[in-house]
Amino acid sequence: MISGFFLMIYLGPIMLIFVMSVQIKCFQEIITIGYRVYHSYELPWFRTLSWYFLICVNYFFYGETLADYFGALVRREEPLQFLARYHRFISFTLYLAGFCMFVLSLVKKHYRLQFYMFAWTHVTLLIVVTQSHLVIQNLFEGMIWYIVPISIVICNDIMAYLFGFFFGRTPLIKLSPKKTWEGFIGGFFSTVVFGFILAYLLSQFQYFVCPVEFNSETNRFTVECEPPDLFVMQEYTLPAALQNTLSWKTVNLYPFQIHSIFLSSFASLIGPFGGFFASGFKRAFKIKDFANTIPGHGGIMDRFDCQYLMATFTHVYIASFVRGPNPSKVLQQLLMLQPEQQLSIFHILRSQLKERGLLPPLAVRAE
């Protein structure tokens, strides 16, 4: 698994395929549990409709991603222009077809059970597909937003186990009897230190910090840019108390290292509750693991129960505290407008720049 993780880093943006594979496998494991519990009732179309809804939701999310990040490719291909323009209507129509098929499949005396399974499918889609889409959104912000969250969750899992194994005495939660407060606290401090060091190492490389973009000329993903301020070394003045203790007045840090402290804190304090949730789910159905895909480790979902929660937090954190206006996305949307709309926006923008004195004098004379 460690070798596979480093292979993903080497492959770069192609790991989108890996995210899709993990998503499908996790969905299959959860849906299979429901099928095993209720298969004796011979409910019609349960698995067929579950997979159909998975295809519909993926079509919607990946279509949104295509329109956001591959605008140049969409403009170049006529069929894609049609699909992009009516994407949400097509997505809704596909879902509506599945909804109607579910209603037609209702069987007398099993209505309640069938609605249970309908809800089961939709909750699974919410947990697995929606959050895997957020993983992809994080990846497009820069590989560092994908690698660091995954790594700190893995670190927390390992260090909590080691501290619990050697020093654990006090039980943490009944859902997981082997979890201890000592492991929980030791994992927290270890993860914060690990995340801080990893953030420092990765912030030095353009390959990890640049947003992933699609180059329409080469038809390839690119990760080349001028590193954002978030990944440029800056000098910070220490609080007076720390200056007296450490005998330092300033320190040089990447701003991302400060963000890594918050990411690591979430991974250590809240992330484990994703695992507790999964433990409660398995206890409810009296199973040890979601599947036996990985010998000795259970299913794929057993390994990713905390990762999905972490991915959602990372996405919300980026949107709330990091991401600013994205010029490339704005430009892509402008290029998809009609020529007269583009000219109207151009004139408005030019007049605004003139009023603010930002338009070069030569550009004014050329008018």
Side-chain angles (χ1 to χ4, degrees):
M1 286 191 290
I2 294 174
S3 301
F5 180 65
F6 283 109
L7 177 62
M8 285 189 295
I9 295 174
Y10 172 77
L11 290 175
I14 300 177
M15 70 175 73
L16 288 171
I17 300 172
F18 168 79
V19 175
M20 183 71 173
S21 302
V22 168
Q23 175 212 114
I24 292 173
K25 183 57 181 170
C26 289
F27 182 83
Q28 182 264 333
E29 290 177 358
I30 298 177
I31 289 299
T32 299
I33 293 173
Y35 180 74
R36 287 174 181 170
V37 173
Y38 299 114
H39 76 282
S40 59
Y41 294 92
E42 298 182 356
L43 299 179
W45 298 2
F46 167 59
R47 285 198 295 185
T48 302
L49 283 174
S50 296
W51 287 104
Y52 176 81
F53 282 126
L54 176 67
I55 294 171
C56 290
V57 175
N58 271 305
Y59 175 81
F60 171 74
F61 280 128
Y62 279 90
E64 294 285 305
T65 301
L66 184 69
D68 283 345
Y69 296 99
F70 302 87
L73 178 63
V74 171
R75 290 192 305 274
R76 197 171 59 196
E77 302 293 336
E78 190 69 30
L80 291 181
Q81 290 182 24
F82 174 82
L83 293 175
R85 180 164 185 168
Y86 300 104
H87 171 67
R88 295 194 175 185
F89 181 78
I90 295 172
S91 300
F92 178 71
T93 302
L94 291 173
Y95 177 83
L96 204 58
F99 179 82
C100 293
M101 285 191 288
F102 167 74
V103 173
L104 293 174
S105 72
L106 291 173
V107 177
K108 192 175 181 180
K109 296 183 180 180
H110 293 309
Y111 293 153
R112 179 179 296 181
L113 186 56
Q114 286 182 281
F115 277 102
Y116 283 161
M117 300 313 299
F118 184 76
W120 180 291
T121 299
H122 282 67
V123 171
T124 304
L125 291 171
L126 176 65
I127 293 174
V128 176
V129 183
T130 305
Q131 297 188 69
S132 66
H133 172 68
L134 299 183
V135 172
I136 293 173
Q137 295 290 307
N138 297 342
L139 175 61
F140 277 106
E141 294 293 332
M143 287 183 60
I144 196 168
W145 292 105
Y146 176 85
I147 296 170
V148 169
I150 284 182
S151 300
I152 56 181
V153 169
I154 294 172
C155 173
N156 180 254
D157 195 30
I158 295 172
M159 299 309 298
Y161 170 79
L162 291 176
F163 274 91
F165 181 82
F166 289 106
F167 308 108
R169 296 290 184 275
T170 313
L172 177 63
I173 187 170
K174 291 182 179 180
L175 281 173
S176 296
K178 294 182 179 180
K179 303 290 185 181
T180 64
W181 275 103
E182 292 79 5
F184 186 74
I185 296 171
F188 166 72
F189 287 106
S190 302
T191 304
V192 170
V193 173
F194 171 80
F196 193 79
I197 296 173
L198 182 63
Y200 171 78
L201 295 174
L202 296 186
S203 294
Q204 302 176 51
F205 299 96
Q206 189 183 75
Y207 178 75
F208 296 115
V209 304
C210 290
V212 178
E213 295 182 350
F214 181 77
N215 189 320
S216 59
E217 296 179 0
T218 61
N219 289 331
R220 292 175 180 271
F221 288 107
T222 60
V223 283
E224 298 177 357
C225 69
E226 186 70 25
D229 292 340
L230 195 63
F231 305 104
V232 175
M233 187 74 74
Q234 297 184 19
E235 187 177 71
Y236 293 91
T237 302
L238 292 174
L242 288 178
Q243 289 183 21
N244 296 331
T245 304
L246 301 175
S247 299
W248 297 342
K249 291 186 177 181
T250 62
V251 292
N252 292 324
L253 297 173
Y254 292 103
F256 181 73
Q257 288 181 267
I258 299 173
H259 290 292
S260 75
I261 296 174
F262 295 99
L263 294 174
S264 298
S265 298
F266 181 89
S268 305
L269 301 177
I270 306 299
F273 282 84
F276 301 152
F277 178 86
S279 296
F281 183 89
K282 289 182 285 187
R283 285 177 179 272
F285 292 94
K286 299 179 181 180
I287 56 176
K288 184 177 183 295
D289 297 310
F290 283 96
N292 56 358
T293 308
I294 309 172
H297 293 274
I300 298 295
M301 193 64 199
D302 291 287
R303 298 297 93 202
F304 283 83
D305 47 11
C306 299
Q307 295 289 0
Y308 281 129
L309 192 61
M310 186 68 204
T312 303
F313 173 75
T314 303
H315 180 80
V316 173
Y317 186 88
I318 292 172
S320 302
F321 304 108
V322 177
R323 183 190 296 139
N326 190 329
S328 63
K329 278 191 177 181
V330 174
L331 181 61
Q332 287 182 11
Q333 292 176 344
L334 287 175
L335 293 175
M336 294 183 71
L337 298 175
Q338 297 297 323
E340 57 273 14
Q341 294 174 313
Q342 294 174 349
L343 283 172
S344 174
I345 292 174
F346 168 74
H347 291 306
I348 294 172
L349 182 60
R350 185 177 61 174
S351 64
Q352 289 288 331
L353 292 175
K354 281 183 182 180
E355 291 177 5
R356 296 166 60 185
L358 297 176
L359 199 64
L362 289 175
V364 175
R365 285 197 298 270
E367 182 185 7

